[in-house]
Short mmCIF file of all heavy atoms in Angstrom, two decimals:
data_model
loop_
_atom_site.label_atom_id
_atom_site.label_comp_id
_atom_site.label_asym_id
_atom_site.label_seq_id
_atom_site.Cartn_x
_atom_site.Cartn_y
_atom_site.Cartn_z
N ASN A 1 3.55 -19.35 -1.32
CA ASN A 1 4.06 -20.24 -0.27
C ASN A 1 4.40 -19.40 0.95
O ASN A 1 5.35 -18.63 0.91
CB ASN A 1 5.28 -20.99 -0.77
CG ASN A 1 4.95 -21.88 -1.96
OD1 ASN A 1 3.80 -22.22 -2.18
ND2 ASN A 1 5.96 -22.24 -2.71
N GLY A 2 3.64 -19.55 1.98
CA GLY A 2 3.84 -18.77 3.18
C GLY A 2 2.58 -18.01 3.54
O GLY A 2 1.53 -18.23 2.96
N PRO A 3 2.68 -17.08 4.49
CA PRO A 3 1.49 -16.33 4.90
C PRO A 3 0.97 -15.44 3.77
O PRO A 3 1.73 -14.94 2.96
CB PRO A 3 1.97 -15.50 6.08
CG PRO A 3 3.44 -15.53 6.04
CD PRO A 3 3.87 -16.71 5.23
N ARG A 4 -0.34 -15.27 3.74
CA ARG A 4 -0.97 -14.45 2.71
C ARG A 4 -0.69 -12.98 2.95
O ARG A 4 -0.74 -12.49 4.07
CB ARG A 4 -2.47 -14.70 2.72
CG ARG A 4 -3.25 -13.89 1.70
CD ARG A 4 -4.66 -14.43 1.54
NE ARG A 4 -5.54 -13.56 0.84
CZ ARG A 4 -5.48 -13.29 -0.47
NH1 ARG A 4 -4.55 -13.84 -1.19
NH2 ARG A 4 -6.35 -12.48 -1.04
N VAL A 5 -0.39 -12.28 1.88
CA VAL A 5 -0.18 -10.83 1.91
C VAL A 5 -1.29 -10.19 1.08
O VAL A 5 -1.58 -10.65 -0.02
CB VAL A 5 1.20 -10.47 1.32
CG1 VAL A 5 1.35 -8.97 1.15
CG2 VAL A 5 2.31 -11.03 2.19
N CYS A 6 -1.94 -9.17 1.60
CA CYS A 6 -3.02 -8.52 0.85
C CYS A 6 -2.54 -7.37 -0.02
O CYS A 6 -3.09 -7.13 -1.08
CB CYS A 6 -4.11 -8.04 1.80
SG CYS A 6 -5.31 -9.32 2.14
N ALA A 7 -1.53 -6.65 0.43
CA ALA A 7 -1.03 -5.53 -0.38
C ALA A 7 0.42 -5.25 -0.04
O ALA A 7 0.91 -5.61 1.04
CB ALA A 7 -1.87 -4.29 -0.12
N GLN A 8 1.09 -4.63 -1.01
CA GLN A 8 2.46 -4.17 -0.78
C GLN A 8 2.55 -2.74 -1.32
O GLN A 8 2.09 -2.46 -2.42
CB GLN A 8 3.48 -5.07 -1.49
CG GLN A 8 3.52 -6.44 -0.89
CD GLN A 8 4.66 -7.28 -1.44
OE1 GLN A 8 5.34 -7.93 -0.66
NE2 GLN A 8 4.88 -7.30 -2.74
N LEU A 9 3.13 -1.86 -0.52
CA LEU A 9 3.32 -0.47 -0.90
C LEU A 9 4.81 -0.25 -1.14
O LEU A 9 5.64 -0.80 -0.40
CB LEU A 9 2.82 0.47 0.20
CG LEU A 9 1.30 0.56 0.37
CD1 LEU A 9 0.70 -0.72 0.88
CD2 LEU A 9 0.95 1.70 1.28
N TYR A 10 5.14 0.54 -2.16
CA TYR A 10 6.53 0.75 -2.54
C TYR A 10 6.86 2.24 -2.58
O TYR A 10 6.00 3.07 -2.85
CB TYR A 10 6.78 0.17 -3.94
CG TYR A 10 6.53 -1.30 -4.04
CD1 TYR A 10 5.27 -1.80 -4.37
CD2 TYR A 10 7.55 -2.21 -3.81
CE1 TYR A 10 5.04 -3.16 -4.47
CE2 TYR A 10 7.32 -3.57 -3.91
CZ TYR A 10 6.07 -4.05 -4.24
OH TYR A 10 5.85 -5.39 -4.33
N THR A 11 8.15 2.55 -2.38
CA THR A 11 8.59 3.94 -2.40
C THR A 11 8.96 4.41 -3.80
O THR A 11 9.01 5.60 -4.06
CB THR A 11 9.80 4.16 -1.48
OG1 THR A 11 10.85 3.26 -1.85
CG2 THR A 11 9.43 3.96 -0.02
N ASP A 12 9.26 3.50 -4.72
CA ASP A 12 9.69 3.88 -6.06
C ASP A 12 8.71 3.40 -7.11
O ASP A 12 8.09 2.36 -6.97
CB ASP A 12 11.08 3.32 -6.37
CG ASP A 12 12.15 3.87 -5.46
OD1 ASP A 12 11.95 4.98 -4.91
OD2 ASP A 12 13.18 3.21 -5.29
N ASN A 13 8.62 4.14 -8.21
CA ASN A 13 7.72 3.82 -9.31
C ASN A 13 8.43 4.13 -10.62
O ASN A 13 9.34 4.94 -10.66
CB ASN A 13 6.44 4.63 -9.20
CG ASN A 13 5.39 4.16 -10.17
OD1 ASN A 13 5.45 3.05 -10.70
ND2 ASN A 13 4.42 5.00 -10.44
N SER A 14 8.01 3.47 -11.67
CA SER A 14 8.58 3.70 -12.99
C SER A 14 7.51 3.40 -14.04
O SER A 14 6.66 2.54 -13.84
CB SER A 14 9.78 2.76 -13.22
OG SER A 14 10.20 2.81 -14.56
N PRO A 15 7.53 4.09 -15.18
CA PRO A 15 6.58 3.79 -16.25
C PRO A 15 6.88 2.44 -16.93
O PRO A 15 6.06 1.92 -17.65
CB PRO A 15 6.73 4.95 -17.22
CG PRO A 15 8.08 5.50 -16.96
CD PRO A 15 8.36 5.24 -15.50
N TYR A 16 8.05 1.88 -16.66
CA TYR A 16 8.42 0.59 -17.24
C TYR A 16 7.92 -0.53 -16.34
O TYR A 16 8.23 -0.56 -15.14
CB TYR A 16 9.93 0.49 -17.43
CG TYR A 16 10.45 1.54 -18.37
CD1 TYR A 16 11.11 2.66 -17.88
CD2 TYR A 16 10.25 1.43 -19.74
CE1 TYR A 16 11.57 3.64 -18.74
CE2 TYR A 16 10.70 2.41 -20.61
CZ TYR A 16 11.36 3.50 -20.10
OH TYR A 16 11.80 4.46 -20.95
N TYR A 17 7.14 -1.46 -16.90
CA TYR A 17 6.48 -2.50 -16.12
C TYR A 17 7.45 -3.28 -15.23
O TYR A 17 7.17 -3.53 -14.07
CB TYR A 17 5.72 -3.45 -17.05
CG TYR A 17 4.96 -4.52 -16.31
CD1 TYR A 17 3.75 -4.23 -15.71
CD2 TYR A 17 5.47 -5.81 -16.18
CE1 TYR A 17 3.05 -5.18 -15.00
CE2 TYR A 17 4.78 -6.77 -15.48
CZ TYR A 17 3.56 -6.47 -14.90
OH TYR A 17 2.88 -7.41 -14.20
N ASP A 18 8.60 -3.68 -15.77
CA ASP A 18 9.52 -4.50 -14.98
C ASP A 18 10.22 -3.72 -13.87
O ASP A 18 10.89 -4.29 -13.03
CB ASP A 18 10.55 -5.17 -15.89
CG ASP A 18 11.42 -4.18 -16.65
OD1 ASP A 18 10.98 -3.03 -16.86
OD2 ASP A 18 12.53 -4.57 -17.05
N GLN A 19 10.03 -2.39 -13.84
CA GLN A 19 10.63 -1.56 -12.80
C GLN A 19 9.57 -0.80 -12.00
O GLN A 19 9.88 0.14 -11.27
CB GLN A 19 11.58 -0.55 -13.44
CG GLN A 19 12.70 -1.17 -14.22
CD GLN A 19 13.47 -0.13 -15.02
OE1 GLN A 19 13.41 1.06 -14.73
NE2 GLN A 19 14.20 -0.58 -16.02
N CYS A 20 8.29 -1.21 -12.14
CA CYS A 20 7.20 -0.41 -11.59
C CYS A 20 7.15 -0.36 -10.07
O CYS A 20 6.65 0.59 -9.52
CB CYS A 20 5.86 -0.89 -12.14
SG CYS A 20 5.34 -2.48 -11.50
N CYS A 21 7.61 -1.37 -9.41
CA CYS A 21 7.50 -1.42 -7.95
C CYS A 21 8.88 -1.67 -7.36
O CYS A 21 9.39 -2.78 -7.41
CB CYS A 21 6.53 -2.50 -7.53
SG CYS A 21 4.88 -2.25 -8.20
N GLY A 22 9.48 -0.64 -6.81
CA GLY A 22 10.83 -0.78 -6.28
C GLY A 22 11.02 0.02 -5.02
O GLY A 22 10.10 0.63 -4.49
N GLY A 23 12.23 0.01 -4.53
CA GLY A 23 12.54 0.73 -3.30
C GLY A 23 12.13 -0.06 -2.08
O GLY A 23 12.03 -1.28 -2.10
N LYS A 24 11.85 0.67 -1.01
CA LYS A 24 11.42 0.01 0.23
C LYS A 24 10.01 -0.54 0.05
O LYS A 24 9.21 -0.01 -0.72
CB LYS A 24 11.45 0.99 1.39
CG LYS A 24 12.85 1.46 1.74
CD LYS A 24 12.89 2.19 3.06
CE LYS A 24 12.15 3.50 3.01
NZ LYS A 24 12.25 4.28 4.24
N VAL A 25 9.69 -1.61 0.79
CA VAL A 25 8.40 -2.29 0.69
C VAL A 25 7.73 -2.30 2.06
O VAL A 25 8.35 -2.62 3.07
CB VAL A 25 8.57 -3.74 0.20
CG1 VAL A 25 7.23 -4.45 0.12
CG2 VAL A 25 9.29 -3.78 -1.13
N LEU A 26 6.44 -1.95 2.09
CA LEU A 26 5.62 -2.05 3.29
C LEU A 26 4.55 -3.08 3.01
O LEU A 26 3.74 -2.92 2.09
CB LEU A 26 4.99 -0.71 3.64
CG LEU A 26 4.12 -0.67 4.90
CD1 LEU A 26 4.96 -0.96 6.14
CD2 LEU A 26 3.46 0.69 5.03
N VAL A 27 4.54 -4.18 3.77
CA VAL A 27 3.61 -5.29 3.57
C VAL A 27 2.36 -5.06 4.41
O VAL A 27 2.45 -4.70 5.59
CB VAL A 27 4.29 -6.62 3.96
CG1 VAL A 27 3.29 -7.77 3.92
CG2 VAL A 27 5.46 -6.89 3.04
N VAL A 28 1.18 -5.28 3.81
CA VAL A 28 -0.10 -5.17 4.50
C VAL A 28 -0.71 -6.56 4.56
O VAL A 28 -0.99 -7.17 3.53
CB VAL A 28 -1.06 -4.20 3.77
CG1 VAL A 28 -2.38 -4.11 4.51
CG2 VAL A 28 -0.43 -2.83 3.61
N ASN A 29 -0.90 -7.06 5.76
CA ASN A 29 -1.45 -8.40 5.96
C ASN A 29 -2.98 -8.38 5.98
O ASN A 29 -3.58 -7.32 6.19
CB ASN A 29 -0.92 -8.99 7.27
CG ASN A 29 0.58 -9.19 7.21
OD1 ASN A 29 1.10 -9.82 6.30
ND2 ASN A 29 1.29 -8.65 8.18
N PRO A 30 -3.62 -9.53 5.79
CA PRO A 30 -5.09 -9.58 5.82
C PRO A 30 -5.65 -9.04 7.14
O PRO A 30 -5.08 -9.26 8.21
CB PRO A 30 -5.40 -11.08 5.69
CG PRO A 30 -4.19 -11.67 5.07
CD PRO A 30 -3.03 -10.84 5.54
N ASN A 31 -6.73 -8.30 7.03
CA ASN A 31 -7.45 -7.74 8.18
C ASN A 31 -6.62 -6.78 9.03
O ASN A 31 -6.96 -6.50 10.17
CB ASN A 31 -8.02 -8.85 9.07
CG ASN A 31 -8.96 -9.73 8.30
OD1 ASN A 31 -9.81 -9.25 7.56
ND2 ASN A 31 -8.80 -11.03 8.44
N GLU A 32 -5.53 -6.27 8.48
CA GLU A 32 -4.69 -5.33 9.21
C GLU A 32 -5.32 -3.94 9.14
O GLU A 32 -5.77 -3.50 8.10
CB GLU A 32 -3.29 -5.31 8.61
CG GLU A 32 -2.29 -4.53 9.42
CD GLU A 32 -0.86 -4.73 8.93
OE1 GLU A 32 -0.65 -5.34 7.87
OE2 GLU A 32 0.03 -4.28 9.63
N ASP A 33 -5.33 -3.24 10.27
CA ASP A 33 -5.87 -1.89 10.34
C ASP A 33 -4.76 -0.99 10.86
O ASP A 33 -4.33 -1.13 12.00
CB ASP A 33 -7.07 -1.87 11.28
CG ASP A 33 -7.75 -0.51 11.33
OD1 ASP A 33 -7.50 0.31 10.44
OD2 ASP A 33 -8.54 -0.29 12.26
N ALA A 34 -4.29 -0.09 10.01
CA ALA A 34 -3.19 0.79 10.39
C ALA A 34 -3.58 2.24 10.10
O ALA A 34 -3.35 2.74 9.00
CB ALA A 34 -1.93 0.41 9.62
N PRO A 35 -4.19 2.92 11.07
CA PRO A 35 -4.61 4.31 10.83
C PRO A 35 -3.43 5.26 10.65
O PRO A 35 -3.60 6.36 10.15
CB PRO A 35 -5.43 4.65 12.06
CG PRO A 35 -5.03 3.67 13.09
CD PRO A 35 -4.55 2.44 12.39
N TYR A 36 -2.23 4.83 11.04
CA TYR A 36 -1.04 5.65 10.88
C TYR A 36 0.07 4.81 10.26
O TYR A 36 0.35 3.72 10.73
CB TYR A 36 -0.55 6.18 12.24
CG TYR A 36 -1.57 7.05 12.93
CD1 TYR A 36 -2.46 6.50 13.84
CD2 TYR A 36 -1.65 8.40 12.64
CE1 TYR A 36 -3.41 7.29 14.47
CE2 TYR A 36 -2.60 9.20 13.26
CZ TYR A 36 -3.48 8.64 14.17
OH TYR A 36 -4.42 9.42 14.77
N LEU A 37 0.69 5.33 9.20
CA LEU A 37 1.84 4.67 8.60
C LEU A 37 3.06 4.91 9.48
O LEU A 37 3.11 5.91 10.21
CB LEU A 37 2.12 5.24 7.21
CG LEU A 37 1.20 4.83 6.09
CD1 LEU A 37 1.56 5.59 4.81
CD2 LEU A 37 1.27 3.34 5.84
N PRO A 38 4.05 4.03 9.39
CA PRO A 38 5.29 4.33 10.10
C PRO A 38 5.83 5.69 9.65
O PRO A 38 5.67 6.08 8.48
CB PRO A 38 6.23 3.20 9.66
CG PRO A 38 5.32 2.07 9.27
CD PRO A 38 4.09 2.75 8.71
N LYS A 39 6.44 6.43 10.55
CA LYS A 39 6.88 7.81 10.28
C LYS A 39 7.72 7.92 9.01
O LYS A 39 7.54 8.85 8.22
CB LYS A 39 7.65 8.35 11.48
CG LYS A 39 7.97 9.80 11.38
CD LYS A 39 8.60 10.32 12.65
CE LYS A 39 8.86 11.81 12.53
NZ LYS A 39 9.34 12.37 13.76
N GLU A 40 8.61 6.98 8.77
CA GLU A 40 9.49 7.07 7.60
C GLU A 40 8.74 6.86 6.28
O GLU A 40 9.28 7.10 5.21
CB GLU A 40 10.66 6.07 7.71
CG GLU A 40 10.25 4.62 7.72
CD GLU A 40 9.96 4.05 9.10
OE1 GLU A 40 9.82 4.81 10.07
OE2 GLU A 40 9.86 2.83 9.20
N TRP A 41 7.47 6.44 6.34
CA TRP A 41 6.66 6.23 5.14
C TRP A 41 5.77 7.42 4.80
O TRP A 41 5.12 7.43 3.76
CB TRP A 41 5.80 4.97 5.29
CG TRP A 41 6.59 3.75 5.01
CD1 TRP A 41 7.36 3.05 5.90
CD2 TRP A 41 6.72 3.08 3.77
NE1 TRP A 41 7.96 2.01 5.27
CE2 TRP A 41 7.58 2.00 3.96
CE3 TRP A 41 6.19 3.31 2.50
CZ2 TRP A 41 7.92 1.13 2.92
CZ3 TRP A 41 6.53 2.44 1.48
CH2 TRP A 41 7.39 1.37 1.70
N ALA A 42 5.74 8.43 5.62
CA ALA A 42 4.87 9.58 5.38
C ALA A 42 5.19 10.22 4.03
O ALA A 42 6.33 10.57 3.75
CB ALA A 42 5.04 10.60 6.50
N ALA A 43 4.20 10.32 3.17
CA ALA A 43 4.30 10.94 1.84
C ALA A 43 5.37 10.31 0.96
O ALA A 43 5.96 10.98 0.13
CB ALA A 43 4.54 12.44 1.99
N SER A 44 5.63 9.01 1.13
CA SER A 44 6.67 8.38 0.31
C SER A 44 6.16 7.21 -0.53
O SER A 44 6.93 6.65 -1.30
CB SER A 44 7.84 7.93 1.18
OG SER A 44 7.44 6.92 2.07
N VAL A 45 4.91 6.81 -0.41
CA VAL A 45 4.38 5.71 -1.21
C VAL A 45 4.13 6.21 -2.63
O VAL A 45 3.45 7.20 -2.84
CB VAL A 45 3.07 5.15 -0.62
CG1 VAL A 45 2.48 4.09 -1.53
CG2 VAL A 45 3.31 4.59 0.77
N SER A 46 4.71 5.52 -3.61
CA SER A 46 4.52 5.93 -5.00
C SER A 46 3.85 4.87 -5.85
O SER A 46 3.39 5.17 -6.95
CB SER A 46 5.86 6.33 -5.63
OG SER A 46 6.69 5.20 -5.73
N SER A 47 3.80 3.63 -5.37
CA SER A 47 3.11 2.57 -6.11
C SER A 47 2.65 1.51 -5.13
O SER A 47 3.14 1.43 -4.01
CB SER A 47 4.02 1.97 -7.19
OG SER A 47 5.20 1.45 -6.62
N LEU A 48 1.68 0.72 -5.57
CA LEU A 48 1.16 -0.34 -4.70
C LEU A 48 0.61 -1.48 -5.54
O LEU A 48 0.26 -1.31 -6.70
CB LEU A 48 0.09 0.19 -3.75
CG LEU A 48 -1.14 0.86 -4.34
CD1 LEU A 48 -2.24 -0.15 -4.62
CD2 LEU A 48 -1.63 1.92 -3.40
N VAL A 49 0.53 -2.65 -4.90
CA VAL A 49 -0.05 -3.84 -5.52
C VAL A 49 -1.02 -4.42 -4.49
O VAL A 49 -0.67 -4.56 -3.32
CB VAL A 49 1.03 -4.88 -5.88
CG1 VAL A 49 0.40 -6.15 -6.41
CG2 VAL A 49 2.01 -4.32 -6.88
N VAL A 50 -2.23 -4.77 -4.94
CA VAL A 50 -3.24 -5.36 -4.05
C VAL A 50 -3.55 -6.76 -4.56
O VAL A 50 -3.78 -6.96 -5.75
CB VAL A 50 -4.53 -4.50 -4.02
CG1 VAL A 50 -5.57 -5.14 -3.11
CG2 VAL A 50 -4.20 -3.10 -3.56
N GLY A 51 -3.56 -7.73 -3.65
CA GLY A 51 -3.82 -9.12 -4.00
C GLY A 51 -5.30 -9.38 -4.27
O GLY A 51 -6.17 -8.58 -3.93
N THR A 52 -5.55 -10.53 -4.88
CA THR A 52 -6.94 -10.92 -5.15
C THR A 52 -7.69 -11.12 -3.83
O THR A 52 -7.10 -11.48 -2.81
CB THR A 52 -6.98 -12.23 -5.97
OG1 THR A 52 -6.28 -13.25 -5.26
CG2 THR A 52 -6.37 -12.03 -7.34
N ARG A 53 -8.97 -10.87 -3.87
CA ARG A 53 -9.87 -10.97 -2.71
C ARG A 53 -9.46 -10.06 -1.56
O ARG A 53 -9.75 -10.33 -0.41
CB ARG A 53 -9.99 -12.43 -2.25
CG ARG A 53 -10.57 -13.35 -3.29
CD ARG A 53 -10.84 -14.76 -2.78
NE ARG A 53 -9.82 -15.33 -1.93
CZ ARG A 53 -8.78 -16.07 -2.35
NH1 ARG A 53 -8.61 -16.31 -3.62
NH2 ARG A 53 -7.93 -16.57 -1.48
N CYS A 54 -8.76 -8.98 -1.88
CA CYS A 54 -8.36 -7.99 -0.87
C CYS A 54 -8.77 -6.61 -1.34
O CYS A 54 -8.94 -6.36 -2.53
CB CYS A 54 -6.85 -8.01 -0.65
SG CYS A 54 -6.25 -9.45 0.21
N GLU A 55 -8.91 -5.72 -0.38
CA GLU A 55 -9.22 -4.32 -0.66
C GLU A 55 -8.35 -3.47 0.25
O GLU A 55 -8.25 -3.74 1.45
CB GLU A 55 -10.70 -4.06 -0.39
CG GLU A 55 -11.13 -2.64 -0.68
CD GLU A 55 -12.63 -2.46 -0.48
OE1 GLU A 55 -13.02 -2.20 0.68
OE2 GLU A 55 -13.37 -2.59 -1.46
N LEU A 56 -7.73 -2.46 -0.31
CA LEU A 56 -6.89 -1.54 0.46
C LEU A 56 -7.53 -0.16 0.39
O LEU A 56 -7.78 0.36 -0.69
CB LEU A 56 -5.48 -1.50 -0.12
CG LEU A 56 -4.51 -0.52 0.54
CD1 LEU A 56 -4.13 -1.01 1.93
CD2 LEU A 56 -3.27 -0.34 -0.31
N THR A 57 -7.81 0.42 1.55
CA THR A 57 -8.35 1.78 1.61
C THR A 57 -7.27 2.68 2.18
O THR A 57 -6.67 2.38 3.21
CB THR A 57 -9.61 1.83 2.51
OG1 THR A 57 -10.56 0.88 2.03
CG2 THR A 57 -10.22 3.21 2.51
N VAL A 58 -7.03 3.79 1.50
CA VAL A 58 -6.04 4.77 1.95
C VAL A 58 -6.72 6.12 2.13
O VAL A 58 -7.73 6.41 1.50
CB VAL A 58 -4.86 4.88 0.97
CG1 VAL A 58 -4.11 3.57 0.86
CG2 VAL A 58 -5.32 5.33 -0.41
N TRP A 59 -6.17 6.93 3.01
CA TRP A 59 -6.71 8.25 3.29
C TRP A 59 -5.66 9.31 3.01
O TRP A 59 -4.46 9.04 3.09
CB TRP A 59 -7.13 8.35 4.77
CG TRP A 59 -8.38 7.60 5.06
CD1 TRP A 59 -9.65 8.10 5.08
CD2 TRP A 59 -8.51 6.22 5.36
NE1 TRP A 59 -10.55 7.11 5.38
CE2 TRP A 59 -9.87 5.93 5.56
CE3 TRP A 59 -7.61 5.17 5.49
CZ2 TRP A 59 -10.35 4.67 5.87
CZ3 TRP A 59 -8.07 3.91 5.79
CH2 TRP A 59 -9.43 3.67 5.98
N SER A 60 -6.10 10.52 2.72
CA SER A 60 -5.18 11.60 2.40
C SER A 60 -4.51 12.20 3.64
O SER A 60 -3.50 12.87 3.54
CB SER A 60 -5.91 12.70 1.62
OG SER A 60 -6.97 13.23 2.39
N ARG A 61 -5.09 11.92 4.82
CA ARG A 61 -4.54 12.44 6.06
C ARG A 61 -4.43 11.33 7.09
O ARG A 61 -5.17 10.35 7.03
CB ARG A 61 -5.42 13.58 6.59
CG ARG A 61 -5.44 14.78 5.62
CD ARG A 61 -6.29 15.92 6.09
NE ARG A 61 -5.92 16.34 7.42
CZ ARG A 61 -6.81 16.81 8.30
NH1 ARG A 61 -8.08 16.92 7.98
NH2 ARG A 61 -6.41 17.18 9.48
N ALA A 62 -3.54 11.51 8.03
CA ALA A 62 -3.33 10.50 9.08
C ALA A 62 -4.59 10.30 9.92
O ALA A 62 -5.44 11.19 10.00
CB ALA A 62 -2.17 10.93 9.98
N GLY A 63 -4.68 9.17 10.55
CA GLY A 63 -5.80 8.88 11.45
C GLY A 63 -7.12 8.65 10.74
O GLY A 63 -8.17 8.92 11.29
N LYS A 64 -7.04 8.18 9.49
CA LYS A 64 -8.24 7.91 8.66
C LYS A 64 -9.07 9.17 8.47
O LYS A 64 -10.29 9.16 8.55
CB LYS A 64 -9.08 6.79 9.29
CG LYS A 64 -8.37 5.47 9.34
CD LYS A 64 -9.31 4.40 9.88
CE LYS A 64 -8.62 3.07 9.95
NZ LYS A 64 -9.52 2.03 10.46
N LYS A 65 -8.40 10.27 8.22
CA LYS A 65 -9.08 11.54 7.98
C LYS A 65 -8.81 12.00 6.56
O LYS A 65 -7.92 11.52 5.89
CB LYS A 65 -8.61 12.59 8.99
CG LYS A 65 -8.99 12.24 10.42
CD LYS A 65 -8.55 13.30 11.37
CE LYS A 65 -8.95 12.88 12.78
NZ LYS A 65 -8.44 13.80 13.79
N GLY A 66 -9.61 12.94 6.10
CA GLY A 66 -9.47 13.44 4.74
C GLY A 66 -10.21 12.56 3.76
O GLY A 66 -11.05 11.75 4.14
N SER A 67 -9.88 12.71 2.50
CA SER A 67 -10.56 11.89 1.47
C SER A 67 -9.94 10.50 1.43
O SER A 67 -8.78 10.31 1.78
CB SER A 67 -10.47 12.58 0.11
OG SER A 67 -9.12 12.78 -0.24
N SER A 68 -10.75 9.51 1.01
CA SER A 68 -10.26 8.15 0.96
C SER A 68 -10.40 7.59 -0.47
O SER A 68 -11.16 8.12 -1.27
CB SER A 68 -11.02 7.25 1.93
OG SER A 68 -12.37 7.13 1.54
N ARG A 69 -9.65 6.53 -0.70
CA ARG A 69 -9.72 5.84 -1.98
C ARG A 69 -9.49 4.36 -1.73
O ARG A 69 -8.64 4.00 -0.92
CB ARG A 69 -8.67 6.38 -2.94
CG ARG A 69 -8.75 5.72 -4.28
CD ARG A 69 -7.99 6.47 -5.30
NE ARG A 69 -8.12 5.73 -6.57
CZ ARG A 69 -7.39 5.94 -7.61
NH1 ARG A 69 -6.47 6.86 -7.59
NH2 ARG A 69 -7.56 5.23 -8.69
N LYS A 70 -10.27 3.52 -2.43
CA LYS A 70 -10.13 2.07 -2.29
C LYS A 70 -9.46 1.48 -3.51
O LYS A 70 -9.73 1.89 -4.63
CB LYS A 70 -11.51 1.43 -2.10
CG LYS A 70 -12.16 1.83 -0.80
CD LYS A 70 -13.47 1.15 -0.59
CE LYS A 70 -14.05 1.65 0.73
NZ LYS A 70 -15.14 0.84 1.21
N PHE A 71 -8.57 0.51 -3.26
CA PHE A 71 -7.87 -0.20 -4.33
C PHE A 71 -8.14 -1.69 -4.20
O PHE A 71 -8.20 -2.21 -3.08
CB PHE A 71 -6.36 0.02 -4.23
CG PHE A 71 -5.94 1.45 -4.45
CD1 PHE A 71 -5.84 2.33 -3.37
CD2 PHE A 71 -5.66 1.92 -5.72
CE1 PHE A 71 -5.45 3.64 -3.57
CE2 PHE A 71 -5.27 3.23 -5.92
CZ PHE A 71 -5.17 4.09 -4.84
N THR A 72 -8.36 -2.36 -5.31
CA THR A 72 -8.52 -3.81 -5.35
C THR A 72 -7.62 -4.36 -6.43
O THR A 72 -6.98 -3.62 -7.19
CB THR A 72 -9.98 -4.20 -5.65
OG1 THR A 72 -10.33 -3.69 -6.94
CG2 THR A 72 -10.94 -3.67 -4.60
N ALA A 73 -7.55 -5.70 -6.51
CA ALA A 73 -6.74 -6.33 -7.54
C ALA A 73 -7.26 -5.96 -8.91
O ALA A 73 -6.58 -5.84 -9.86
CB ALA A 73 -6.73 -7.84 -7.36
#
């Protein structure tokens, strides 16, 4: 209910399913292109969730440089 979200990135992770995604949340909307994460998010993402019919591509370096990896639901 509400606007569609394609992915959510979290600062905290846990091996326990009910605690797997915690801490601060960064929401990624459909068709959003963000070559740079907000400064406070640099090297702090530890878990993520990707919605159905969405794909999230991340890079190892800022500005879409370095190696990349794609995540789907």
Side-chain angles (χ1 to χ4, degrees):
N1 298 340
R4 179 167 167 70
V5 172
C6 273
Q8 293 188 135
L9 288 67
Y10 300 89
T11 56
D12 297 336
N13 190 18
S14 170
Y16 299 104
Y17 182 79
D18 61 336
Q19 301 170 20
C20 71
C21 301
K24 294 192 293 184
V25 179
L26 181 64
V27 173
V28 180
N29 296 307
N31 301 315
E32 189 170 9
D33 184 16
Y36 299 93
L37 285 175
K39 188 174 182 174
E40 64 271 13
W41 279 86
S44 65
V45 176
S46 66
S47 58
L48 58 89
V49 175
V50 180
T52 57
R53 299 186 318 269
C54 288
E55 181 177 86
L56 177 71
T57 304
V58 297
W59 286 265
S60 60
R61 296 180 54 214
K64 296 184 180 180
K65 295 182 181 175
S67 58
S68 66
R69 182 165 180 194
K70 294 183 181 194
F71 296 90
T72 62

